[in-house]
Amino acid sequence: MNKKITIAIDGHSSTGKSTVARRLAKELGYIYVDTGAMYRAVTLYMMRKVFVSESNFNEEAILRHLPFVDLEFKFNDKTGKADMYLENENVEEEIRYMEVSKHVSQVSAIPEVRRKLVEQQQEMGKEKGVVMDGRDIGTVVFPDAELKIFMTASTEKRAHRRYAELKARGEEVEYDEVEKNVKERDYLDSTREDSPLVRAEDAIEFDNSDMDLEEQFEKILKIAQDKIQEVNS
Ligand code: DC
């Protein structure tokens, strides 16, 4: 039988990591894990408790409540994707709101939050046969992953993609606000002390600024298939 591998896809926000990663997992018959959804769900939990807001960031309360945050992915037969559940409630849509995006990088910078989620991610991927996307998958979660891809694209391209996505979902947002958020998250995610977003030395850099989804997918699928073949030869 073919040995399965671990595929880590990291990169800046709105590089289209999750779209490619999800499709790749489906094609290979692997599990897909969107780790950004987990950081978003923790953020939403803390926002609902009002420990995190425009005017408040209560780290002490976040730490106190962190052990009780109950996260789970459940497969949705209708969409064919796994949805994020927080305390048994489907929050897949709500975690993508701009309000959550505004606070998620700050919550993700807390080492205890990272420790909790990294542990869950390692558990989910321990049997291999997983495509996981995030910021620290190839550096921290699975430093031994057989295949690491680091996705990049110009800030402008990413902001336009994000804006189109939010608009399509009916959110009232201004382009400038989206671009500002993309830049802020790039900065915060790359400069935090604990597991900053950096390209793993052995990751393949993949700039998709001038590629459509189909082209990207075909290229990444080929890279993955070659790697699987190499591991099995
Ligand atoms: O992939 P995303 O845009 O949904 O991720 C949301 C935020 O979560 C991102 O700005 C930083 C954080 N994150 C992280 O710190 N580590 C990960 N592995 C995934 C996401």
Side-chain angles (χ1 to χ4, degrees), residues 10-14 17-18 34-40 43 95-96 101 104-105 108-109 114 118 121 133-137 141 162 185-186 189 192 194-195:
D10 289 302
H12 292 104
S13 58
S14 307
K17 298 183 297 293
S18 44
D34 171 2
T35 63
M38 300 169 76
Y39 288 94
R40 286 173 178 274
T43 305
I95 55 169
R96 315 280 166 195
S101 298
V104 66
S105 288
S108 313
R114 306 205 66 78
V118 166
Q121 291 152 12
D133 84 51
R135 304 290 186 288
D136 60 343
I137 311 305
V141 183
R162 193 68 174 193
R185 284 203 288 141
D186 281 357
D189 296 344
R192 69 178 173 227
D194 190 340
S195 352

